[in-house]
Amino acid sequence: MPAESKYPPIDIPNVGLWDFLFERKDRDFKDDKVIFVDPSTSRSYTYAQVKQTATDFGKGLKGLWDWQKGDVLGIYSPNSIDTPAVTWGCHFAGGVVSPANPGYTADELAFQLKDSGAKALVTQVPQLEIALQACEKAGIPEDRICLIGDQKADGQFKHFTSVRNISGTQRYRRAKVDPEKDLAFLVYSSGTTGHPKGVMLCHRNIVANALQITAGEGPISNAPRPGHPDGDTILAFLPFFHIYGLTVVVHQSFYRGLKTIVMPKFDIESWCRIVQEHKITFAYVVPPVVLQLSKHPCVEKYDLSSLRMMNSGAAPLTRELVDAVYKRIKIPVKQGYGLSETSPTTHTQPWEDWSRTIGAVGTMLPNQTAKYMSPEEREVPIGQVGELWIKGPNVFKGYLNNIEGTKNALTDDGYFKTGDVGYQDAEGNFYITDRVKELIKYKGFQVPPAELEGKLLSHPDINDVAVLGVYKEEQATEVPLAYVVPKAGVQASPEKEREIMDWLAAKVANHKRLRGGVKFTDEIPKSAAGKILRRMLKIRYQEEEEKKAGKAKL
């Protein structure tokens, strides 16, 4: 029988995100509560200011660009305290938001803009050059590009406050949405085919997951405590374009009235300084950050004692890391689990169980069922390993423009096949041990091997190639490594390895670089059908590493 959540069922209102966030009757914080803060400029938004700014921007979209229900707005930006208002302003106008990685190249961004059918793009001045190139490729006119952030550009590019101010009238009414059918977000998740897939998330998906996360993070509160007049304060560095940051940080923080300090990007020194200065009490993190907290010398310079708990997600977290951090700074780290297709969070460790169940991704959040399935798609008993399938109101609607992908991912009775392998113990704790999918997870980002292989095969000195993920303990993450068959006459050398790595780095986003390096080989092992046998390469890599370690000990 499928496993049920140990949490009591929660009521999920049948409303869109605007009503959920702005028209609720049970809000327990005031209009003037400061929610989003930029620590570098001290610029901030109260709850009321976010609502007003979002309303004005939504009216501006309707008035300036004749925004229609279902139109897609791309956002190509590092984290900004302006992002939430722009996002919900788009929802006010009945639109769909498609956030993109600000590290994307013009080609990568253009693909997402074209695939999503984006009608306009929001970006920042440092990203403007690439945004312009991508919009030209995607057929988005320059007058449909607007800016957020503190920098303003000369010329024709409007700041979003100008789009907002052009409304100036009450005649543009808020669009009505069907929470079950109308999309709120199109987030892009890489697929093994090499092209990212548009994950269709409706309003109900995000409403449901915000409430599910709230149930799992019950100990967080906006109520004042001694030394913390604002209640719990969250540090937000997780990318807002990533579903982890988008739902868990942006939507949960706003719904619960939690003061949220927004970092545009992570660096360990700034992170520690902000924790100390703003008395951060809770942080969502990823394993490479946990690793830095356990080892980086700068950590010793700061007082991090305000932190009550950290939650790690996006990639597996080892017991060794949890223990090392707790030993050094006495801050507990629990783990959660989710996917873009589940909005994202399906499991989290209860606060009180963090030390007892290290290694587990937690217990299932409310209103879901799950089961582990054999390769023959038969449910396996508790304790046995299988592929995790999940069903709940947070499960996505399907992949955009990809009927076959949707059919392969969703069962007729509503289960999502996660592609992750693991098991459940007798106490209802879930464990993830491996992945069916071949995606490489670099610091929470998904890197499709086929995409990198396709690019590398166009290199003039490469005959054949296979890319796989290899775990680097010093980085606490998988990194892409390429096995390369050089063309005849091409000399395998460290110089050639570096040249190939640099060549690819110029063509892909930062997280897709060959941080694992290049290894030269005579041939790529393949099945009779031509499929690359990555498992054989992984075994070979491990043997090579063991041999290298053995020599180092001599």
Side-chain angles (χ1 to χ4, degrees), residues 88-123:
W88 298 322
C90 179
H91 291 155
F92 176 98
V96 182
V97 175
S98 187
N101 184 342
Y104 270 173
T105 63
D107 284 343
E108 290 167 327
L109 177 59
F111 172 82
Q112 181 167 330
L113 295 175
K114 282 191 280 192
D115 191 67
S116 67
K119 298 290 197 298
L121 182 67
V122 173
T123 189

Side-chain angles (χ1 to χ4, degrees), residues 4 11 21 37 81 101 169 197 252 492:
E4 301 281 346
D11 178 48
L21 297 171
V37 179
I81 61 169
N101 184 342
T169 176
K197 295 179 289 187
Q252 183 195 200

Side-chain angles (χ1 to χ4, degrees), residues 178-195:
D178 182 333
E180 283 270 17
K181 294 180 181 176
D182 291 331
L183 301 187
F185 294 99
L186 270 170
V187 297
Y188 275 72
S189 175
S190 297
T192 50
T193 59
H195 279 307

Side-chain angles (χ1 to χ4, degrees), residues 496-506 514-518:
K496 179 54 66 176
E497 176 184 347
R498 172 51 57 188
E499 187 260 314
I500 291 170
M501 291 169 65
D502 291 344
W503 179 88
L504 183 66
L514 292 174
R515 286 178 167 80
V518 169

